């Protein structure tokens, strides 16, 4: 039986947490047994954060429950009528 080695790398990205508009703690865990995980470049600077609209605003609009024909990763879940009513009740900007 071959020798097993375990390697772990940890890094804390305080800026990831500080860039969130909501004030709650989040844990983002990335793990792989087979490949090294590369982090993407930061999405913001000390001058501010990018918004969701800036990050995904270029994607075409897709109705809930439908898939985008040009992007397999762009598909919103099917929303219940109650959820749609709740979303419509949220004031622009989040209130």
């Amino acid at each position: 039986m071959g020798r097993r080695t375990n390697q772990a790398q940890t890094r804390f990205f305080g800026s990831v947490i500080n860039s969130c508009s909501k004030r709650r703690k989040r844990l983002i865990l990335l793990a792989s047994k087979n490949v090294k995980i590369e982090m993407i470049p930061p999405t913001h600077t000390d001058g501010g954060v990018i918004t969701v609209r800036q990050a995904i605003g270029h994607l075409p609009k897709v109705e809930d429950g439908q898939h985008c024909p040009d992007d397999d990763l762009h598909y919103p879940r099917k929303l219940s009528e109650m959820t749609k009513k709740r979303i419509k009740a949220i004031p622009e900007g989040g209130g």
Side-chain angles (χ1 to χ4, degrees):
M1 190 154 100
R3 182 176 169 220
R4 292 184 128 197
T5 60
N6 292 319
Q7 294 181 349
Q9 179 182 12
T10 60
R11 289 190 287 174
F12 175 74
F13 295 95
S15 60
V16 172
I17 294 171
N18 293 335
S19 70
C20 299
S21 60
K22 302 244 188 257
R23 296 189 185 268
R24 61 181 179 213
K25 293 181 180 179
R26 292 170 169 81
L27 169 69
I28 301 169
L29 175 67
L30 305 174
S32 173
K33 279 179 85 171
N34 302 316
V35 297
K36 182 179 176 184
I37 296 173
E38 299 289 336
M39 296 300 295
I40 62 170
T43 58
H44 63 282
T45 64
D46 291 337
V49 300
I50 68 166
T51 65
V52 172
R53 186 177 308 270
Q54 290 169 326
I56 65 172
H58 66 282
L59 295 171
K61 290 191 179 200
V62 180
E63 294 296 320
D64 67 301
Q66 302 297 312
H67 279 74
C68 175
D70 301 324
D71 187 341
D72 290 338
L73 298 177
H74 179 39
Y75 56 93
R77 70 169 38 183
K78 181 70 175 157
L79 302 175
S80 70
E81 289 304 314
M82 178 58 75
T83 298
K84 289 179 186 181
K85 287 179 184 177
R86 289 177 177 143
I87 292 171
K88 284 186 181 202
I90 298 170
E92 188 167 333

